Amino acid sequence: MDEFELIKKITPSSLSHREVEIGIGDDAAVYESKAGYEEIVCVDTMVDGVHFLSSHSSPGDIGYKALAVNISDIAAMGGYPKFYLVSLAIPSGWNESAIETMYEEMNKLAKLYKMDLIGGDTVSTNGPLVITVTVIGEIEKGKVCLRSHAQPGDVVFVTGELGSSSAGLALLLEKISTKDEGLAQYLIERHKRPKPQIEAGLICSHYERVALNDISDGLANELNEIAVASRVSIDIYQNMIPKHAELHKLHTEWEKFVLFGGEDFELVGTISSQDWERFAQECADHQVSVTQIGQVSQESDIKVFLLSGQNRVPLEKKGYQHFK
Ligand SMILES: Nc1ncnc2c1ncn2[C@@H]1O[C@H](COP(=O)(O)OP(=O)(O)O)[C@@H](O)[C@H]1O
Ligand SMILES: Cc1ncc(C[n+]2csc(CCOP(=O)(O)OP(=O)(O)O)c2C)c(N)n1
Ligand SMILES: [Mg+2]
Ligand SMILES: [Mg+2]
Ligand SMILES: [Mg+2]
């Protein structure tokens, strides 16, 4: 593989954003920032064997997800994504056409948001494939949705449905099985091709005080992060959490997928109860699915509680954790 040929091939022939002064081709990218806006920057890394298996996911799937999970972090701030940079550590077994396919799939996703590829880095490695994507987004000044925004009395909500991605992973890894081919395909697709909730995040940013987090490590983890950042406690009703209608048929412990599974890349958040109905209506008007799953409680304890029937038990900060 020729490093310089590869860079030439992946360099976009034109850019959507006119404020880019220098894209790929110099020591660093340069763009002009916009008055009245704040920039949002995030980075996430995916490693073969940890975040995906190259034996089970195509190069296109890997590229798609590496970009999607970063767009999801921009959504979780209420922002809109504009630029991305891609760093690749490529093992010797990977050929140029596989890498190009990764870029093509990233490019297709990026185009949906008019995002521009403005840089990156390419190195060889004796280890597994590592892909690191940085995304830069923007938001009107003062509109970001922080984890610290929750207050007692707020409504707790999630977008979409939870548990599908980790059920898809369990199917991929053959930890569970189903005869329902259509269901299996759907869940695996949810795992490989999560949809960043940019539109939901944008709607949130129009409200006074929304706390937001995207669900990468599992609902329990993300809710605990909001509780800690906001110094509040949260009550969640087990039977209100949206999930795929067939999920419970897959495994007796299907609730673990919903609460601790992760990688749904839906948004979980809180909004003032006065704003909730207007917000839910605005989401419905834009075909964005949101569901109330609980409320921020008055207690002084900084904890998340799961309510089912007469039981109210702490929802532990359990979910995906590296180094465990
Ligand atoms: N190695 C690191 N160096 C500096 N900051 C980091 C590092 N790893 C994570 N962070 C920061 O810690 C915070 C939480 O990271 P993370 O749990 O990965 O968030 P997310 O789940 O949204 O990707 C973020 O602000 C992130 O930028
Ligand atoms: C082969 C494989 N094993 C396990 C998982 C499950 N998994 C890996 S990382 C992760 C959590 C999200 O990744 P992380 O690096 O923590 O992203 P971040 O929280 O920073 O967005 C999960 C649920 C997977 N996707 N693929
Ligand atoms: Mg991260
Ligand atoms: Mg996140
Ligand atoms: Mg994580």
Side-chain angles (χ1 to χ4, degrees), residues 35-172:
Y37 284 80
E38 289 172 309
E39 290 179 41
I40 308 173
V41 189
C42 61
V43 59
D44 264 323
T45 293
M46 286 182 23
V47 179
D48 193 356
V50 177
H51 295 83
F52 60 87
L53 298 175
S54 49
S55 50
H56 291 61
S57 286
S58 68
D61 292 334
I62 297 164
Y64 174 97
K65 192 162 172 179
L67 180 57
V69 303
N70 278 286
I71 297 176
S72 174
D73 275 325
I74 300 290
M77 301 301 284
Y80 196 84
K82 291 179 78 177
F83 304 122
Y84 67 113
L85 299 92
V86 179
S87 161
L88 284 175
I90 307 173
S92 56
W94 282 70
N95 62 37
E96 205 163 310
S97 84
I99 300 296
E100 279 172 40
T101 309
M102 281 175 60
Y103 275 89
E104 279 162 21
E105 287 304 300
M106 282 192 273
N107 190 240
K108 276 191 218 158
L109 176 61
K111 275 211 165 115
L112 300 179
Y113 304 101
K114 294 195 162 62
M115 293 172 73
D116 291 323
L117 176 66
I118 58 167
D121 195 28
T122 315
V123 300
S124 62
T125 177
N126 294 325
L129 181 87
V130 179
I131 175 168
T132 301
V133 176
T134 302
V135 168
I136 299 167
E138 71 177 18
I139 188 163
E140 256 179 78
K141 245 191 174 76
K143 301 273 185 193
V144 280
C145 300
L146 303 180
R147 293 175 185 179
S148 57
H149 281 173
Q151 287 180 12
D154 285 358
V155 168
V156 181
F157 65 87
V158 290
T159 63
E161 66 189 27
L162 304 187
S164 298
S165 171
S166 59
L169 174 63
L171 285 164
L172 263 184

